[in-house]
Amino acid sequence: MKKTPFFFLSRGFLVFGLFVLLGVAGGGRTERYAIGWDDLHIDARRQGLNSGDNGGTRIIVVDKNCSGDSPTVQGAVDLVPHYNKQRVKIYILPGIYREKVTIPSTKPYISLIGNKRRVTDTIITWNDKASDRDINGGELGTYRTATVSVESDYFCATGITFENTVVAEPGDSGRQAVALRIAGDKAMFYRVKFIGQQDTLLDDIGTHYFYQCHIQGSVDFIFGRARSLYEQCIISSTAENYGAIAAHHRDSAEEETGFSFVHCVINGSGKILLGRAWGNYSRTIYSYCYIQDIITPTGWSDWGDPSRQRTVVFGQYNCRGSGANTQGWVPWAKTFSYEEVRPFLDMKFINGEQWLDL
């Protein structure tokens, strides 16, 4: 329970007693804008097809049929004022939205909300690839291919599919194609689907929580420098001859970053690596996961740099399924003890007790 200030008057003296919010004195939540379940919910009893108030929170409705406040998602984002100081919920009605969307760092506290029961009802899709050219003739590169780019803090989303439709055949170059890039701090994704092939989800920088999401791809399809917890997610491979799930980048042992997969299901087709060492200190850990028989026997790759074998943090704890067999793994990947893996098992890994109110 959060405690609030109170005043007590006795014998002419004003005695002020203040119980601060949990965290200031007791190690609990301290942040005013912590993301909670209400930030991922639209109250249907108050909902209308016009921008308005929903229990003190502004709602912007997106309808491709022009019955809402904007027919496009980007148009709705543009309606949010810069340096906004309160939660804005962008409610996206079912449909396929063919557009690129950017949420800049100057627009925090945005929620994108679709139908969390049927996440494929609302799809934001595009088809840029790394070798495509911009208006000045230069290649886009991987980062700029993202269908949706989020650079703001305290972002959250639910009930939406983010998609990049570029097909990457084995051996192709320049076909990296990002569905979503998240570069803001303190972001949550709940029942969201990410669809692509090579480089589907750019988990770029910041601390992030992915809960009950579905992430699909073939080569390095979860990659970036972030510190992220993936809990109860489905990680689905579409690899044919070769692929990798995670490519984390970490430059030093002091960086508190990494990808932690907990209670996830790893499935799909073709053989795939659990991770590749994009950076010298790359860190990727699977705990309590069910892994189908789709894992390349060696399990992991040093990205062609044997020196990284001494510094990466790769391994598993208490995983099950035929794909969890570590017998053929590279010798520098680990099977962790509980004490070793404990810091990566829950929201403490991402300091979630400070910015998630779940």
Side-chain angles (χ1 to χ4, degrees):
M1 176 184 295
K2 295 180 180 177
K3 299 181 176 64
T4 55
F6 71 93
F7 293 88
F8 177 70
L9 186 63
S10 175
R11 295 190 180 186
F13 292 95
L14 179 66
V15 179
F16 175 70
L18 174 64
F19 291 96
V20 295
L21 293 175
L22 292 177
V24 175
R29 299 184 182 93
T30 61
E31 299 189 18
R32 175 184 175 187
Y33 297 106
I35 296 173
W37 291 118
D38 183 65
D39 298 319
L40 294 157
H41 175 71
I42 296 289
D43 189 340
R45 294 169 299 179
R46 298 183 181 180
Q47 169 199 316
L49 291 181
N50 291 293
S51 181
D53 185 272
N54 186 264
T57 300
R58 184 184 180 190
I59 290 179
I60 300 172
V61 177
V62 179
D63 181 5
K64 63 176 298 183
N65 298 314
C66 300
S67 295
D69 303 299
S70 172
T72 67
V73 180
Q74 186 63 59
V77 172
D78 293 344
L79 292 173
V80 179
H82 290 283
Y83 308 105
N84 173 58
K85 296 185 182 300
Q86 67 174 10
R87 176 65 54 181
V88 176
K89 298 177 181 179
I90 297 177
Y91 179 52
I92 309 173
L93 295 182
I96 298 176
Y97 295 83
R98 302 186 187 279
E99 58 177 303
K100 283 176 73 83
V101 178
T102 298
I103 301 177
S105 60
T106 55
K107 297 190 177 187
Y109 319 120
I110 287 178
S111 302
L112 295 187
I113 301 175
N115 183 351
K116 66 177 70 73
R117 292 184 178 86
R118 294 183 59 181
V119 300
T120 55
D121 280 358
T122 301
I123 300 172
I124 307 174
T125 182
W126 199 248
N127 60 345
D128 276 347
K129 59 184 182 297
S131 60
D132 287 343
R133 303 283 174 173
D134 61 22
I135 58 174
N136 297 314
E139 288 193 354
L140 288 180
T142 301
Y143 285 28
R144 290 198 289 161
T145 66
T147 299
V148 176
S149 294
V150 180
E151 298 177 348
S152 63
D153 297 343
Y154 295 96
F155 172 85
C156 57
T158 188
I160 299 170
T161 294
F162 300 103
E163 179 183 63
N164 191 311
T165 59
V166 170
V167 176
E169 300 294 340
D172 280 353
S173 61
R175 300 189 72 83
Q176 297 90 339
V178 176
L180 181 131
R181 171 180 173 245
I182 174 65
D185 195 23
K186 303 177 179 68
M188 178 180 175
F189 298 85
Y190 170 54
R191 293 190 178 175
V192 167
K193 197 166 189 176
F194 305 88
I195 301 296
Q197 287 203 351
Q198 184 172 355
D199 294 353
T200 303
L201 172 59
L202 175 44
D203 194 0
D204 198 358
I205 55 175
T207 51
H208 309 139
Y209 182 42
F210 298 83
Y211 182 50
Q212 294 184 4
C213 293
H214 183 124
I215 307 160
Q216 178 179 302
S218 58
V219 179
D220 304 334
F221 62 94
I222 301 172
F223 73 111
R225 299 170 177 265
R227 174 168 41 147
S228 295
L229 175 64
Y230 296 81
E231 187 174 7
Q232 296 182 30
C233 293
I234 296 174
I235 313 298
S236 186
S237 164
T238 59
E240 295 183 8
N241 299 319
Y242 177 81
I245 294 171
H248 183 256
H249 197 292
R250 182 167 168 254
D251 290 321
S252 74
E254 285 69 43
E255 288 183 21
E256 295 182 350
T257 59
F259 297 156
S260 178
F261 299 89
V262 181
H263 292 293
C264 292
V265 172
I266 315 299
N267 63 18
S269 59
K271 291 294 184 179
I272 198 162
L273 294 163
L274 289 164
R276 297 206 296 161
W278 186 20
N280 291 336
Y281 290 81
S282 176
R283 183 158 66 180
T284 302
I285 299 170
Y286 295 83
S287 306
Y288 301 114
C289 293
Y290 175 78
I291 307 176
Q292 288 186 354
D293 188 19
I294 61 168
I295 305 303
T296 302
T298 54
W300 308 84
S301 166
D302 60 14
W303 205 284
D305 186 347
S307 68
R308 296 179 181 181
Q309 298 176 12
R310 300 189 300 270
T311 53
V312 298
V313 181
F314 284 166
Q316 68 88 30
Y317 174 74
N318 207 18
C319 291
R320 65 192 192 282
S322 52
N325 185 352
T326 64
Q327 186 173 356
W329 276 15
V330 293
W332 38 273
K334 297 187 64 175
T335 295
F336 296 101
S337 68
Y338 176 72
E339 288 303 315
E340 289 174 321
V341 82
R342 185 167 58 174
F344 306 96
L345 292 179
D346 55 33
M347 286 191 287
K348 291 180 181 177
F349 172 57
I350 54 173
N351 295 330
E353 68 277 10
Q354 296 180 11
W355 59 274
L356 289 167
D357 190 8
L358 304 175

